[in-house]
């Protein structure tokens, strides 16, 4: 209750400021603005924003809503974005010791989070896909084709078990991706590269010792924008 009460007080200034949930400021939907701000704070910027993040990636909601960047939002705004996010990017829970409300991002971190409750993919498990899909952009294809996929500043390379919308796939790539690369999961796992399921069914891998998935694990690549076509791996 303490977390909820403080959350509502912290959001009182702007949460009920007459704009409504779908009010606009600068042409952007209020929920979209909150989702983007949450993504930055929970995946990348907690330390520089002065927010205390636990080893498993959670931040107290009362601390978040007291931060200047979030004071215009209420607890109800936060709960709505978590519940209605189409990719289920965030998780709310009661702190296991004191019951205060906490929030975290399910994946996408550039900061090290030691316990994201990831589940290791087992090659003989019924839910282990034969291929996984990585979404990208055609402008990056020459580099990807020669150097492979890299996790860059993130802790994992993100993959999906299929194309968005297919077989219940909701996340794993951006909606505007115009390139997909298919990865032979079993071949990569045989070479010792681990893969994990996040809570919202995104496949994550740290890659090899260099943080990469080499081109030898690619099975095919598709250009998605019309006319859709398969790209050469050579």
């Amino acid at each position: 209750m303490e977390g909820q009460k403080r959350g509502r007080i912290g959001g009182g200034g702007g949460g009920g400021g007459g704009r409504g949930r779908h009010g606009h400021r600068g042409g952007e939907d209020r929920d979209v603005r909150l989702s983007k701000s949450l993504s930055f704070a929970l995946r990348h910027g907690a330390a520089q924003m002065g927010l205390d993040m636990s080893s498993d990636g959670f931040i107290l909601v009362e601390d978040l809503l007291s931060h200047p960047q979030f004071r215009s939002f209420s607890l109800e705004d936060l709960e709505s974005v978590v519940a209605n996010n189409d990719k289920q990017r965030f998780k709310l829970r009661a702190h296991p010791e004191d019951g205060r409300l906490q929030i975290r991002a399910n994946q996408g971190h550039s900061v090290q989070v030691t316990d994201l409750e990831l589940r290791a993919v087992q090659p003989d498990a019924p839910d282990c896909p034969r291929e996984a899909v990585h979404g990208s952009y055609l402008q990056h294809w020459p580099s990807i084709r020669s150097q492979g996929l890299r996790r860059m500043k993130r802790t994992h390379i993100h993959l999906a078990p299929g194309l968005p919308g297919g077989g219940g796939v909701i996340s794993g790539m951006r909606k505007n991706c115009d390139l997909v690369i298919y990865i032979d999961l079993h071949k990569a796992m045989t070479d010792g590269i681990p893969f994990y399921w996040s809570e919202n069914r995104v496949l994550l891998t740290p890659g090899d010792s260099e943080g990469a998935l080499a081109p030898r694990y690619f099975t095919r690549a598709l250009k998605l924008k019309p006319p859709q076509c398969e790209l050469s791996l050579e």
Side-chain angles (χ1 to χ4, degrees), residues 167-183:
V169 177
I170 62 168
S171 191
M173 70 181 70
R174 297 181 184 275
K175 292 179 180 178
N176 63 345
C177 288
D178 56 7
L179 166 70
V180 290
I181 301 104
Y182 287 79
I183 308 298

Side-chain angles (χ1 to χ4, degrees), residues 82 127 189:
V82 172
D127 65 349
M189 285 191 284

Side-chain angles (χ1 to χ4, degrees), residues 107-110 112-113 116 118 134 150-159 194-196 203-207 211:
Q107 88 284 320
H109 300 79
S110 59
Q112 194 65 43
V113 177
L116 271 177
L118 302 178
H134 178 82
R150 297 187 174 274
R151 65 177 186 240
M152 308 303 283
K153 294 181 179 180
R154 292 191 176 190
T155 56
H156 295 96
I157 298 167
H158 290 204
L159 305 159
F195 291 83
Y196 305 94
L203 280 162
L204 304 174
T205 178

Side-chain angles (χ1 to χ4, degrees), residues 49-119:
M49 295 171 69
L51 293 168
D52 184 30
M53 178 178 283
S54 63
S55 62
D56 51 1
F58 281 100
I59 290 174
L60 285 171
V61 167
E62 61 191 80
D63 291 345
L64 186 79
L65 292 177
S66 295
H67 190 277
Q69 187 168 334
F70 293 94
R71 281 181 185 157
S72 65
F73 297 103
S74 67
L75 176 59
E76 288 84 356
D77 292 329
L78 200 66
E79 290 172 332
S80 175
V81 164
V82 172
N84 297 319
N85 185 270
D86 59 349
K87 294 190 175 184
Q88 298 177 16
R89 290 184 176 98
F90 313 112
K91 177 179 179 178
L92 280 170
R93 76 166 187 188
H95 191 289
E97 294 179 3
D98 58 25
R100 289 187 294 174
L101 201 58
Q102 296 178 296
I103 187 169
R104 99 173 159 200
N106 282 322
Q107 88 284 320
H109 300 79
S110 59
V111 296
Q112 194 65 43
V113 177
T114 57
D115 183 15
L116 271 177
E117 301 175 62
L118 302 178
R119 180 167 60 87

